[in-house]
Amino acid sequence: MHTYSIPLETSCGQSYSPAMGSFCHLRSRCLLSQFGLPFVMHRQYSLDISAQLLRTQGYVNGQWINAPSTFPVLDPATGEEIANVADCGPAEAKLAVDAAYKAFYSWKHHTVKERSVLLRKWYDLLTLNKKDLAKLITFECGKPMKESLGEIAYAAGFLEWFSEEARRVYGDVVPSAAKDRKILLLKQPVGVASIITPWNFPSAMITRKVGAALAAGCTVVVKPAEDTPLSALALAELASQAGIPAGVFNVVPCSREKTPSVGTVLCTDPLVGKVSFTGSTATGKILLKHAADTVKRVSMELGGHAPFIVFDSADVDKAVTGAMNSKFRNSGQTCVCSNRFLVQSRIHDHFIEKLGKAMDAELRLGHGSDPNTTQGPLINVRASEKVEHQVMDAVSRGAKVLRGGKRLDGSFHQPTLLADVTTDMLCTREETFGPLLPVIRFNTEEEALAIANASHVGLAGYLFSQDVSQIWRVAENLEVGMVGVNEGLLSTPEASFGGVKQSGLGREGSKYGIEEYLDVKYMCFGGLTL
C-alpha cells in the first residue's frame, strides 16, 4: 500500500488542526509526498493581477456598490485571506432585480445582431485577460493554473457560442387548417433571470447561463458562490468594458450567512421570470419550492454520481487515461466526475495496476500557482473531512487502500485508490466531490447497468468498450443525461449539458441552452382573404 501522510508546519511552528480555524503561512520542512514533489509550500503565493479585475463591491445597474458589511475570501490552499468582498443582503438583491427589470424593456428590443456583437466583445475581453482571470480562479478555488486557464477558455467559449446563437432564434410558421388564417409561433425572452452559481467553476458556470440569457434578450442577476465571488466580479468589470448596458448584468456577492435571504429574494420576487441554479440537489429542491409560489421558469443542474464502466473489451490504456481525466480534474470536484468505477473481472487487476502507476506518475499535490501542481486543495476543510469519512467507512467494510487514503492538513486530501469496494459502502451511495477513486468488480453487462442505475441522480456516465453493439446497448440504458463513450472529458459549449432523475431540469449549452430563456407565443392572424 502506498501512503502519502505528510505533516505540515505553520510559520509559527505549530501543526495545523481544523480547530485552529485558519492557516498561518506554510513553510517548508524536509517533506516529500509519495507523488514525488515537495508538498509543503516553499514560498508565499501572492495574487498579482490587474487592479481593474480585482473587484470587491457588488455590481448593480452598471455601478459598483458597497454593502453594510464585508466577508473574507480565502485561498483554500493556505487559508489566507485574499480580499474582503461586499456582503450584499436582501436590500441589494432587490435593487439588482429592479435594475434588471427596468433594463429588460430596452435590452429585449436590441436587435439580435446588436446583442451578438456585445457578447462577442465580452468574449474577446475574456480571452485577452485570460491569465489574470485564471489566477483569480486558482487563488479563490484552488485549481492548478493549467486547469484554470482551461476553464477561462471554456467560459469564453460559451460567450462565443451564444453570440452566434443569438442570431438563430427561429420561430415557426405553421400550416393552418382554416383558409382565412395564418399560425405563427414567436419566441420571446422570459424576462429577468436569477443566476445562482457554484464555486467549482466560478467563471464557466456564469457564462454558460448568462451567455444564453443575454443572447435571448433576458437580463440577469448573478449570485456567485460565497467561496468564489471574485471571478464573478471580474466578469462584471469586463462586461462593462464590453459595453453591456447598465442593469443587464448584475452581481450580488454575499456570505454563507446571507445566502438564504438573498436566495429567497431572487427566487420569489415577482419581477423575476426565471431561476437557473447549479449546485446540490438538496439546495435545488429548496429553490424549486421558493420558485413555485410565483410559477417561475426554472432550470437546475444538480448533483451527480457518475458511473465509469470498463468492459473486458476496452482499451485499458485509454480507460486509464479517461479515469484520470474524469476523476482527478479539479481534485475530483466537478459534478460530472466519475464516482463509481465498475471494472469487469477479466481486466480488473490489469486496470488497477496501470491506474495506480498513472497516479504515481502524474499526480502532484501543491498550490495551484506552482507549475508542477496537478492536484490542488479541496475547497475547504469540510470537503476534505467528507472524503476522509468515506475512506474510513469503506475500509471498515473491507475495502483496500492501494494509493493515498489520508487527509492532509487543511483542505488537502491525498488522491486515493480503493479496491474491493462493494455497493454498501458510503462512497458508492453518495457523491464524493473529492479525489477518491473506488473500484467495484463486476461480471456481466446486466450487473454493471444495475449498479450504475441504482441512484436517485443521473447526470453523467462513462463507458469504455470496443464492442459497438455493447456501446449502443449500455449508452441507451444508462439513466443519465450525458454519456462519455471511450472518453473521460465530455463538456463543450456545442453539446447539451444536463441530467435526469434528481440531477436537475432543463439543459445548458448547445442550441437547446438558449431555449431555457425563451417563451413561445402563439399568434393567430385571422380574417384573411386568401
Side-chain angles (χ1 to χ4, degrees):
M1 179 178 74
H2 296 246
T3 60
Y4 314 100
S5 180
I6 307 155
L8 293 184
E9 183 179 83
T10 66
S11 61
C12 47
Q14 298 172 314
S15 295
Y16 175 83
S17 70
M20 290 170 60
S22 63
F23 286 101
C24 299
H25 288 298
L26 296 175
R27 72 179 185 190
S28 67
R29 298 265 290 177
C30 53
L31 306 173
L32 296 176
S33 80
Q34 189 69 33
F35 291 113
L37 279 179
F39 180 75
V40 174
M41 319 306 174
H42 286 281
R43 60 185 174 85
Q44 296 180 18
Y45 294 88
S46 59
L47 178 58
D48 180 21
I49 67 168
S50 165
Q52 278 189 315
L53 293 180
L54 188 57
R55 293 288 187 172
T56 58
Q57 298 168 289
Y59 184 71
V60 175
N61 201 27
Q63 301 293 321
W64 295 101
I65 66 165
N66 293 315
S69 60
T70 63
F71 67 99
V73 179
L74 307 179
D75 179 344
T78 65
E80 293 177 358
E81 186 177 291
I82 304 169
N84 279 287
V85 174
D87 193 3
C88 296
E92 290 77 22
K94 177 59 177 169
L95 283 175
V97 169
D98 290 346
Y101 186 75
K102 181 179 179 181
F104 171 65
Y105 285 94
S106 58
W107 179 246
K108 72 175 182 177
H109 291 302
H110 278 61
T111 67
V112 292
K113 183 172 183 179
E114 288 170 338
R115 296 200 294 265
S116 174
V117 167
L118 289 172
L119 285 170
R120 180 71 195 200
K121 287 181 179 178
W122 198 9
Y123 158 80
D124 289 338
L125 287 169
L126 260 69
T127 303
L128 181 66
N129 292 276
K130 61 185 179 181
K131 289 186 179 179
D132 281 355
L133 296 172
K135 289 178 184 178
L136 279 175
I137 293 174
T138 290
F139 272 82
E140 64 179 350
C141 177
K143 287 183 183 180
M145 268 297 290
K146 183 178 179 180
E147 289 192 24
S148 296
L149 285 165
E151 179 179 342
I152 294 304
Y154 184 49
F158 285 109
L159 296 181
E160 179 184 39
W161 173 259
F162 286 115
S163 74
E164 297 161 349
E165 286 298 288
R167 302 179 70 173
R168 293 193 283 267
V169 177
Y170 304 133
D172 295 290
V173 178
V174 181
S176 172
K179 293 183 178 180
D180 65 343
R181 65 185 62 180
K182 293 291 185 181
I183 296 173
L184 293 88
L185 303 180
L186 312 177
K187 293 184 178 179
Q188 297 183 316
V190 299
V192 177
S194 292
I195 307 294
I196 303 175
T197 57
W199 50 263
N200 59 335
F201 284 86
S203 289
M205 294 304 94
I206 292 174
T207 59
R208 189 163 75 186
K209 298 172 187 292
V210 172
L214 268 58
C218 296
T219 55
V220 301
V221 178
V222 176
K223 193 212 83 66
E226 62 272 13
D227 295 300
T228 56
L230 299 177
S231 292
L233 296 170
L235 290 179
E237 169 61 30
L238 295 180
S240 176
Q241 292 182 23
I244 304 292
V248 172
F249 181 73
N250 306 274
V251 181
V252 284
C254 66
S255 63
R256 189 180 305 273
E257 290 73 25
K258 289 187 179 177
T259 289
S261 59
V262 169
T264 298
V265 171
L266 298 182
C267 292
T268 62
D269 193 297
L271 300 184
V272 172
K274 161 82 178 183
V275 176
S276 180
F277 169 73
T278 295
S280 72
T281 298
T283 301
K285 291 178 179 179
I286 294 171
L287 300 184
L288 278 169
K289 291 177 181 177
H290 284 321
D293 284 342
T294 46
V295 197
K296 299 187 189 305
R297 288 278 295 276
V298 175
S299 57
M300 299 267 160
E301 192 263 283
L302 307 177
H305 193 36
F308 187 104
I309 308 173
V310 185
F311 290 101
D312 283 340
S313 68
D315 181 318
V316 174
D317 289 332
K318 288 183 179 178
V320 167
T321 298
M324 294 290 290
N325 289 335
S326 177
K327 177 73 264 182
F328 295 114
R329 185 167 59 119
N330 196 20
S331 299
Q333 299 173 112
T334 84
C335 52
V336 292
C337 271
S338 296
N339 250 39
R340 300 165 291 155
F341 288 76
L342 286 65
V343 183
Q344 202 158 12
S345 296
R346 183 168 61 82
I347 62 166
H348 175 275
D349 293 349
H350 185 43
F351 175 82
I352 282 187
E353 179 186 2
K354 287 205 165 190
L355 182 59
K357 289 179 179 178
M359 291 174 65
D360 293 340
E362 298 176 24
L363 303 183
R364 299 289 182 270
L365 288 159
H367 194 285
S369 291
D370 188 322
N372 294 314
T373 294
T374 65
Q375 295 288 283
L378 301 188
I379 191 64
N380 52 41
V381 171
R382 294 188 307 278
S384 183
E385 289 173 339
K386 179 182 180 182
V387 179
E388 179 186 39
H389 178 60
Q390 288 193 358
V391 172
M392 293 173 64
D393 171 81
V395 170
S396 72
R397 297 173 186 270
K400 293 179 181 178
V401 179
L402 302 184
R403 295 292 191 282
K406 300 293 185 182
R407 184 172 81 83
L408 305 175
D409 289 320
S411 58
F412 283 91
H413 196 287
Q414 296 171 340
T416 298
L417 174 61
L418 298 181
D420 296 342
V421 173
T422 56
T423 56
D424 63 332
M425 296 174 184
L426 194 59
C427 60
T428 70
R429 293 187 283 112
E430 67 175 32
E431 188 175 25
T432 302
F433 240 63
L436 171 59
L437 197 159
V439 180
I440 303 169
R441 185 193 298 262
F442 74 90
N443 294 311
T444 68
E445 180 182 310
E446 293 74 20
E447 180 187 1
L449 277 169
I451 295 171
N453 291 334
S455 174
H456 67 278
V457 294
L459 188 57
Y462 306 85
L463 68 106
F464 281 73
S465 171
Q466 296 186 83
D467 180 335
V468 175
S469 296
Q470 181 178 64
I471 287 171
W472 279 110
R473 287 194 306 270
V474 175
E476 290 187 343
N477 284 288
L478 278 174
E479 296 172 357
V480 296
M482 298 172 283
V483 180
V485 178
N486 297 325
E487 178 56 62
L489 297 174
L490 46 68
S491 300
T492 179
E494 297 83 3
S496 64
F497 192 103
V500 299
K501 298 181 177 178
Q502 294 185 38
S503 280
L505 303 167
R507 292 295 182 267
E508 295 184 339
S510 79
K511 68 177 184 178
Y512 300 105
I514 200 168
E515 299 291 337
E516 299 289 330
Y517 298 90
L518 294 166
D519 284 326
V520 177
K521 177 183 285 185
Y522 163 41
M523 184 173 75
C524 179
F525 194 168
L528 301 175
T529 302
L530 299 174

